Amino acid sequence: VASTDGVGTKIEIANILKKFNTIGIDLVAMCVNDLIVQGARPVFFLDYISINKINLSKLKTIIKGIYKGCKISGCSLVGGETAEMPGTYSKGKFDLAGFSVGIVEKKKILDKSKIKLNNLILAIPSSGVHSNGYSLIRYLLKKKKINLKKNKFLKKELIKPTKIYVKEILNLINKKLVNGCANITGGGLRDNIKRILPENFTAKINLKKVKTKNIFKWLHANGIDNNEMLKTFNCGIGFCIIINPKNLKKIKKYFPKKFEPYVIGKIINGKKNVDLNGKIKW
């Protein structure tokens, strides 16, 4: 199983704050969290860094983060490419892309057929915004004339690295405790869960059960409406698993308290769809 991704305009936040030690973790997370959705164990990772002009200490800091992300997800950083592109990138600007390969036995691939009627949908908390929706966040900062460097709360929240779910999810898959997985990235709950549903099932989700985070409450309070929040951000849920109700208790013990899964909905009969009910308590 292979996956490729970047970290989007979160790079601009790293540039503003001159903090480059976590963006590499984001890069790995964006790729490996997509591999485990198929039940695959990440094996190796490659990076591509394009930059205006190589600044060794900045580059080393970025690569250290990539290495750390690989360590967390148990895969090897086998190489990469760094390209100096002064005509393409202005001073201090850079971009990152990652590519990872995972392995899974054919009979263990998590496919749609494993999802059954009355299965529970569990939310696993995110560490924060992860790496989606940063163009909208930056638009908001500009509109509100917020100086990121001087805002302690936003400074901390917006650079937080994406949670890597590899260890916990692979443990569950090895114990046959999971029927389906969704990595909640761009498109939010609706788009990412819909992708893994069989044709004859609807995922019925109660948004009142969502335990959101302060950063999302702040974004909502500063002018991003409900629909946009759900479409663009993870809203506090970084990953979803679909399970047999009898396995609920067993599953919880594989997670630290901070990332303990909780029920937000279930699988019902109906056309392939994600039915979002109620409203998140912002």
Side-chain angles (χ1 to χ4, degrees):
V1 179
S3 167
T4 186
D5 213 336
V7 293
T9 57
K10 189 170 188 174
I11 275 175
E12 300 305 329
I13 303 292
N15 261 334
I16 292 166
L17 299 174
K18 297 206 173 351
K19 194 173 183 328
F20 305 105
N21 60 332
T22 55
I23 202 90
I25 300 173
D26 286 298
L27 184 67
V28 177
M30 293 302 280
C31 294
V32 296
N33 285 344
D34 273 348
L35 293 179
I36 53 175
V37 165
Q38 307 278 312
R41 176 175 62 84
V43 179
F44 65 80
F45 188 88
L46 292 153
D47 64 72
Y48 174 78
I49 304 169
S50 44
I51 201 161
N52 161 271
K53 190 174 180 4
I54 289 173
N55 168 332
L56 269 182
S57 70
K58 185 174 174 178
L59 205 59
K60 275 182 184 170
T61 311
I62 294 167
I63 291 167
K64 263 186 193 163
I66 295 170
Y67 176 71
K68 192 176 177 185
C70 288
K71 216 172 168 189
I72 296 166
S73 44
C75 70
S76 304
L77 177 59
V78 295
E81 166 71 7
T82 305
E84 263 189 327
M85 296 161 72
T88 308
Y89 296 95
S90 55
K91 196 175 181 222
K93 300 286 185 179
F94 68 100
D95 199 8
L96 298 176
F99 175 80
S100 60
V101 170
I103 195 163
V104 58
E105 282 180 51
K106 219 168 195 174
K107 60 177 188 287
K108 286 185 181 171
I109 292 172
L110 278 184
D111 61 19
K112 294 174 182 182
S113 65
K114 290 183 168 65
I115 295 169
K116 307 290 180 207
L117 185 67
N118 293 325
N119 272 185
L120 295 177
I121 302 161
L122 265 56
I124 305 171
S126 63
S127 54
V129 183
H130 287 183
S131 298
N132 294 97
Y134 275 84
S135 294
L136 186 54
I137 290 169
R138 284 169 51 249
Y139 166 77
L140 200 63
L141 295 176
K142 201 175 171 181
K143 194 179 157 194
K144 300 263 174 189
K145 295 183 171 58
I146 293 165
N147 183 336
L148 192 55
K149 290 180 188 171
K150 289 180 180 171
N151 188 312
K152 223 173 169 181
F153 167 67
L154 291 177
K155 203 168 145 176
K156 184 172 171 256
E157 285 297 325
L158 296 182
I159 202 70
K160 261 187 193 169
T162 306
K163 161 78 177 150
I164 292 172
Y165 297 95
V166 172
K167 202 175 137 213
E168 296 93 334
I169 299 300
L170 289 183
N171 273 335
L172 298 182
I173 288 166
N174 290 337
K175 298 273 189 301
K176 296 186 172 61
L177 294 171
V178 176
N179 297 341
C181 290
N183 182 21
I184 310 303
T185 53
L189 283 170
R190 184 174 271 124
D191 286 6
N192 290 291
I193 292 175
K194 191 176 181 181
R195 201 178 289 160
I196 64 163
L197 291 174
E199 290 305 321
N200 52 334
F201 287 142
T202 293
K204 195 175 171 65
I205 290 171
N206 182 357
L207 292 175
K208 284 181 187 162
K209 292 188 174 178
V210 174
K211 298 169 187 172
T212 191
K213 290 182 147 37
N214 288 336
I215 184 62
F216 300 110
K217 289 176 183 171
W218 184 90
L219 290 166
H220 181 62
N222 278 277
I224 302 174
D225 68 32
N226 255 324
N227 282 343
E228 196 61 60
M229 288 296 299
L230 285 163
K231 208 168 75 187
T232 310
F233 300 107
N234 67 59
C235 295
I237 299 169
F239 206 88
C240 281
I241 51 176
I242 296 174
I243 66 150
N244 185 319
K246 70 172 181 19
N247 293 328
L248 182 60
K249 258 197 176 124
K250 271 185 215 162
I251 282 167
K252 288 190 174 186
K253 66 168 196 254
Y254 286 95
F255 291 83
K257 196 89 192 116
K258 198 178 164 190
F259 294 104
E260 197 175 272
Y262 59 94
V263 179
I264 53 162
K266 68 174 188 174
I267 300 295
I268 60 167
N269 280 320
K271 69 172 175 92
K272 182 179 176 169
N273 192 25
V274 177
D275 186 4
L276 301 175
N277 296 284
K279 205 175 165 191
I280 294 177
K281 294 174 192 144
W282 298 111

